[in-house]
Structures are given as structure tokens and as C-alpha cells.
């Protein structure tokens, strides 16, 4: 079935993020900002892979997924767990970092809702 015949195309979460970042680049957003978003959305994608069944698509994304991601970040007791240059340390993540992750997910999901 061609895309034209299928009124509702399904898009993976990863592909949706790629399209979002490409849209920002065409809008003239700075490479630094796009990189910042890409890093935080990569963590969100990893969270979704761990908590959702295979085959999760962008159209299935809802507010509870974002809230679950933020709850998971707030519940962490180790900093720098996957950082390539720093050793893991005990302690909570900074609230500013968690808010930044929430901003990235909210920005992406708002774009996805506008795009349909």
C-alpha cells in the first residue's frame, strides 16, 4: 500500500525526532540548541525503548509517557551513570537538568501534535 493510499502513516519515535530536528534546522535554529535537544531526546528515546513494547510509534505518544520519563529522572540516585568522562556518583540529578529534559520532550511533542 502506498503512502497516498494509507491516510494515516505511522512514524517511529526515532524517525519523528529526526524530522523534528531537521525542521528546526530549516527554521534557522542554532546547531548548539539542536544538539542540546538531540541529547535530551536521546535519553527520552532510551527510556521509551526500555518501558514500551517494540513497535511503539509516534502516534501512540501521550502526556503520561513524558511524565513517566520525568518521574524516572527524579527517582534516580546516581549521577553520571552513563557519562563517558565521569565516574558514576551517588546523588540526585539537578532539578534544572530534569526541567531541561522536560522542556525538550514538551517542545518535541508540541511539534508532533501540530504536524499531525
Amino acid at each position: 500500500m502506498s503512502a497516498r493510499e494509507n491516510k494515516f502513516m505511522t512514524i517511529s519515535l526515532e524517525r519523528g525526532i529526526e524530522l523534528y530536528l531537521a525542521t528546526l534546522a530549516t527554521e534557522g535554529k542554532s546547531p548548539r540548541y539542536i544538539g542540546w535537544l538531540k541529547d535530551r531526546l536521546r535519553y527520552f528515546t532510551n527510556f521509551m525503548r526500555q518501558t514500551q513494547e517494540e513497535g511503539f510509534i509516534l502516534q501512540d505518544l501521550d502526556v503520561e509517557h513524558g511524565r513517566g520519563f520525568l518521574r524516572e529522572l527524579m527517582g534516580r540516585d546516581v549521577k553520571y551513570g552513563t557519562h563517558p568522562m565521569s565516574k558514576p556518583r551517588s546523588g540526585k540529578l539537578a532539578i534544572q537538568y530534569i526541567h531541561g529534559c522536560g522542556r525538550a520532550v514538551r517542545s518535541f511533542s508540541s511539534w508532533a501534535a501540530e504536524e499531525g
Side-chain angles (χ1 to χ4, degrees):
M1 178 182 301
S2 73
R4 184 173 280 203
E5 293 170 3
N6 183 1
K7 289 185 179 181
F8 301 104
M9 291 182 59
T10 58
I11 300 173
S12 70
L13 180 62
E14 292 85 357
R15 180 68 180 140
I17 290 172
E18 288 172 11
L19 293 170
Y20 169 61
L21 297 174
T23 299
L24 293 178
T26 62
E27 292 174 351
K29 301 293 191 252
S30 77
R32 182 175 176 186
Y33 176 64
I34 293 171
W36 181 88
L37 285 168
K38 185 177 183 178
D39 287 344
R40 278 139 189 88
L41 291 173
R42 184 179 65 237
Y43 297 131
F44 179 63
T45 301
N46 290 340
F47 168 79
M48 293 300 288
R49 277 193 201 122
Q50 293 170 2
T51 60
Q52 301 301 310
E53 295 178 15
E54 191 168 332
F56 183 85
I57 58 172
L58 182 58
Q59 289 86 342
D60 293 336
L61 187 65
D62 65 24
V63 70
E64 284 306 313
H65 295 113
R67 289 179 180 155
F69 175 56
L70 295 178
R71 275 193 302 272
E72 194 274 328
L73 292 176
M74 293 202 284
R76 285 188 189 177
D77 291 325
V78 176
K79 298 181 188 182
Y80 311 112
T82 59
H83 196 282
M85 304 297 279
S86 296
K87 293 181 181 180
R89 298 181 208 164
S90 64
K92 296 286 186 182
L93 297 174
I95 195 68
Q96 296 87 345
Y97 177 77
I98 295 169
H99 284 197
C101 291
R103 282 179 30 219
V105 171
R106 189 171 48 250
S107 175
F108 168 66
S109 61
S110 294
W111 170 85
E114 288 174 12
E115 291 293 310

